[in-house]
Each structure stands twice: as structure tokens, then as C-alpha cells.
Amino acid sequence: YAPYPAGFFDLIQYVSDRYDQVDIYITENGFAARNLDDEEKDCDDQERIMYIREHLRVMARLIRAGYTNLKGYYYWNDADSYEELDGYNLRFGLTYVDHETGQRRWKKSRYYYAEVCKNRMVN
């Protein structure tokens, strides 16, 4: 699996052009990582940070270029959860969940995303 933000650009541009600047909301966009069964490693999710950063940069490019009426972006998923096809083998969330105790801990990606939202700027 290799994320391809440029494809994201092409898709949003196509929808925007095809449907005459219809309002666009990106929902449930996210990154799945293998469960490492190691809280420290699972919380140091640099690949997810890169995924979020690059997709947000694509959206910023689209907006600056006037290609789209992009109204919102919602990361999926807030917390690691059970997935029907993969069980607990993958971690999708910005919050680490210990599935045995239920304890939660913010991942580095959550801190990154919170800063982006707070500052309304992607680095």
C-alpha cells in the first residue's frame, strides 16, 4: 500500500469540474497501520503524519488554484477500533486504544493534526 496524494488532487479536481464547483467535503480519509502490539511504536506514527500532511497540502493547492469549492476535511478515525475485516490487526485512529484495558493515549499524529487545525495551516 502506497498513498498517492496526487491521485487525490486529480479526483477532487475532476469532481469539481464535472459537477460545476459543487461543495465538496472529504470524509473518512485516513491511514491504516499494522498493529505492532507496542504502544510506544504504535503512538509514534510518522507515516500517518506524513499521510495527513501530504493530503492536506493537496487540498490547499486545490483551494489556492481555485479548482474546487472544498468545504471540509474530516480525518477518519478518531480512535483505534475493531474493523470487520481486519479485527484489531490494523490501527486507523489518531488515538491509541489498548484493547484489553480500554485505556487511550494520543498518538503523535493527533498532536500534529490538532496543531494544523488550531493554526489553520499545514507545514
Side-chain angles (χ1 to χ4, degrees):
Y1 168 71
Y4 187 62
F8 200 60
F9 182 96
D10 295 342
L11 176 63
I12 294 171
Q13 184 179 11
Y14 171 79
V15 169
S16 183
D17 290 345
R18 172 99 164 108
Y19 297 101
D20 195 29
Q21 292 286 330
V22 66
D23 291 349
I24 298 174
Y25 293 84
I26 304 301
T27 62
E28 296 190 10
N29 178 254
F31 181 84
R34 281 269 159 233
N35 179 6
L36 302 174
D37 286 326
D38 181 326
E39 183 176 351
E40 288 304 316
K41 288 181 182 175
D42 279 329
C43 285
D44 188 14
D45 56 345
Q46 296 300 315
E47 288 179 302
R48 183 173 289 107
I49 291 170
M50 186 171 27
Y51 178 92
I52 293 168
R53 179 186 307 119
E54 294 310 313
H55 282 79
L56 290 175
R57 283 179 177 171
V58 163
M59 287 183 278
R61 269 183 52 216
L62 284 160
I63 291 168
R64 279 194 309 271
Y67 280 123
T68 186
N69 202 15
L70 188 57
K71 296 291 188 177
Y73 173 85
Y74 303 91
Y75 182 81
W76 177 81
N77 183 346
D78 178 59
D80 294 331
S81 60
Y82 182 84
E83 295 297 320
E84 188 172 330
L85 296 175
D86 293 300
Y88 291 123
N89 293 322
L90 298 175
R91 292 194 176 269
F92 293 88
L94 300 173
T95 303
Y96 174 87
V97 177
D98 181 320
H99 298 297
E100 295 201 13
T101 67
Q103 290 185 314
R104 288 160 166 69
R105 177 176 164 203
W106 280 24
K107 296 178 185 179
K108 287 186 179 180
S109 58
R110 177 176 282 283
Y111 290 106
Y112 171 77
Y113 191 54
E115 281 299 308
V116 168
C117 292
K118 176 183 166 189
N119 297 318
R120 299 181 67 190
M121 184 175 76
V122 178
N123 63 354

